[in-house]
Structures are given as structure tokens and as C-alpha cells.
Amino acid sequence: MGVTKSYHFTELQNELASLLKAIAHPARIAIIQHLLKVESCICSAIVDEIPLAQPTISQHLKELKNAGLIKGTIEGNSICYCLNEQGFNKIKGFLEIVSSHLESQKKQCC
Amino acid sequence: MGVTKSYHFTELQNELASLLKAIAHPARIAIIQHLLKVESCICSAIVDEIPLAQPTISQHLKELKNAGLIKGTIEGNSICYCLNEQGFNKIKGFLEIVSSHLESQKKQCC
DNA sequence: ATTTTATATTGCAATATTACGATATAGTTT
DNA sequence: AAACTATATCGTAATATTGCAATATAAAAT
């Protein structure tokens, strides 16, 4: 059917899935890595950095923004994008729980 | 076009995207959480735990396995699934890099 | 050997995602 | 104001994902 049955799952499960889905594309990972590298949030010279058409980049940026992983502020003509710590912390929190559980699980079964 | 232009991106970017995509579904997060909870890797009583049809769960398990996030071993009649630490560590590594960069970035711009 | 139990595969319909050309919007420069 | 620059939106084609019924496979129990 192509539609995720999100009503079967908890709010946290759905939220985590949305956040992870937003990162789960090589172009969006490249955008994140670029924003990390440039420190000060140089705006969308991202378009020059990544070999995809401008509307495509714009769409990816929108997804990252909707998910709460980046922020954008208008700066005259252009827009300044930078990473949003909060979004990443949620994902990091989940992975830390997974890791700590895995470490305390002494006996591996598989 | 619907097809990701993965040839534009680095191997690491594509690998991370695949791993993240594999987790990025509420049912698969629920599966991961269940496997965490049951400690010893009780097999696919997951089907009883999650309100999706058996073929759907089987498909989700396959994706998690292909991505390297879970392992499965045959145990007589049934199959024992458990989490695969390695896959999670790769994602955790990426997020730790993001976090440490963000923390050292004093001036927020947006 | 037949039935039962556990899991995987196939095929398919519904929906979502990816990418981009064309175009719109809005600030900047001339 | 006209031209330019930066970004967003629309429309659309190609492809991917989700979910499940039906069916296949294979071990276990009877």
C-alpha cells in the first residue's frame, strides 16, 4: 500500500523514524557534513557543493528543516542554514540507549 | 525519477544513508526496541508483538538484516534474531562526530 | 506420513520519494 | 524600474517503499 501504519506505533517511535528518515539520504548527509565543516553557517553554496539541481537541493533542505535537523534564517537575498542541535540529540539519545543495552548484554546469542 | 543518484556521493555517505534508512521506520524501531528489551534474543514472537501481518514483519526483518543491524540464526523450527552491534556503532560514530562538532561551535548563527 | 508451526517469497495495489525543468517570489544591484 | 541573484514551489516522470493475501518451504509434532 505504500503508507506506513503509524497509528500502530508510539509517538516516540514515529518521531524517531521521521528524524532518521530525514537523514537517510546521501545528499542530506552530504549537506549535514558540509554544514559541519564550514562552521559558520555559510548559506546555500550547498548548491555549488553538491552535484544536484537547485530545486532538488532546495527540497532536501526543506525536509531537513521540517524534521528539525537544520535551521534557516533569511539574510538579505540569501538564506543561512545551520544545524539544529536538538534534532540530532534526539537521535543520539536513542542510539546511546541501544549501545548501553548492547554493552551490558554479556551473552551474544547469534 | 525516484532513484537516488548515489554515484555522486562517497561510499561512507551512501553506507550511512542505507543504515539510517533501515532504522527509519516505526515498525523497525519497534523491532529494535523489542530485541533490546528481551535481552536474550527471543525469536519472532515479534510477530505477536507488532500489529502487522507476518509477511510484513518478515520483510522488515529482512531489511534490518541486509543493512547489518540484526543477525538471525536458525534454531530448529524457528529463527533467533538479535541486534548486531557493528551496524549501530557506525551510526553512533557519525552522530558523535556531529555532536562534538556542534558543541565546539560556540557561536550559533540561526 | 500427515498435520502443525514458523518463516520466507511472490505478486500486486496504494502511496511515497527522488529528481528536475519551468516558473514564481523576493531581495539586490545597476 | 530593469536586470540580476538566490531560493522556493509546481508539475510530472521514474522509481522505491509499504503492506498484505496467497503460497512456498522446512522443521516439529502427532
Side-chain angles (χ1 to χ4, degrees):
Chain A
M1 291 161 176
V3 66
T4 295
K5 297 194 162 177
S6 39
Y7 52 89
H8 281 318
F9 304 100
T10 69
E11 207 165 326
L12 179 64
Q13 285 164 344
N14 284 308
E15 194 191 4
L16 279 171
S18 294
L19 282 164
L20 289 162
K21 205 188 219 173
I23 316 189
H25 189 286
R28 295 196 288 266
I29 291 182
I31 290 172
I32 292 167
Q33 288 176 329
H34 184 72
L35 287 176
L36 275 181
K37 198 174 66 183
V38 292
E39 272 270 349
S40 81
C41 56
I42 286 174
C43 324
S44 289
I46 298 167
V47 175
D48 299 329
E49 191 69 16
I50 294 168
L52 290 175
Q54 179 268 320
T56 308
I57 302 287
S58 187
Q59 197 175 260
H60 283 307
L61 287 168
K62 194 180 174 186
E63 276 173 73
L64 286 170
K65 199 175 164 195
N66 287 343
L69 290 165
I70 63 174
K71 289 184 268 188
T73 32
I74 297 168
E75 237 173 48
N77 207 6
S78 56
I79 293 190
C80 171
Y81 281 111
C82 65
L83 297 178
N84 183 353
E85 204 165 354
Q86 290 188 300
F88 286 95
N89 282 343
K90 283 182 192 161
I91 301 174
K92 206 186 154 204
F94 172 67
L95 283 171
E96 272 164 4
I97 289 169
V98 175
S99 286
S100 68
H101 272 254
L102 284 176
E103 272 163 33
S104 66
Q105 266 174 239
K106 285 109 199 170
K107 47 179 176 185
Q108 283 281 18
C109 31
C110 301
Chain B
M1 290 159 178
V3 66
T4 295
K5 297 194 163 176
S6 39
Y7 52 89
H8 282 318
F9 304 100
T10 68
E11 206 165 326
L12 179 62
Q13 285 164 345
N14 284 309
E15 194 191 4
L16 278 171
S18 293
L19 281 164
L20 289 162
K21 204 177 186 176
I23 316 188
H25 189 287
R28 295 195 290 266
I29 291 182
I31 290 172
I32 292 167
Q33 287 176 330
H34 184 72
L35 288 175
L36 275 181
K37 197 175 68 184
V38 293
E39 274 269 352
S40 80
C41 57
I42 285 174
C43 322
S44 290
I46 297 167
V47 176
D48 299 328
E49 191 70 16
I50 295 169
L52 291 174
Q54 179 268 321
T56 307
I57 302 286
S58 186
Q59 198 176 260
H60 283 307
L61 287 168
K62 194 180 175 185
E63 277 173 72
L64 286 170
K65 199 176 165 194
N66 286 343
L69 290 164
I70 62 173
K71 289 184 269 188
T73 32
I74 296 168
E75 237 173 47
N77 205 7
S78 55
I79 292 191
C80 172
Y81 281 112
C82 65
L83 298 178
N84 182 354
E85 204 164 354
Q86 290 188 299
F88 286 95
N89 282 344
K90 282 182 193 162
I91 301 175
K92 206 187 154 205
F94 171 66
L95 282 171
E96 273 163 3
I97 288 169
V98 176
S99 286
S100 67
H101 272 254
L102 284 176
E103 272 163 34
S104 66
Q105 266 175 239
K106 286 110 200 168
K107 46 178 177 186
Q108 283 282 16
C109 31
C110 303

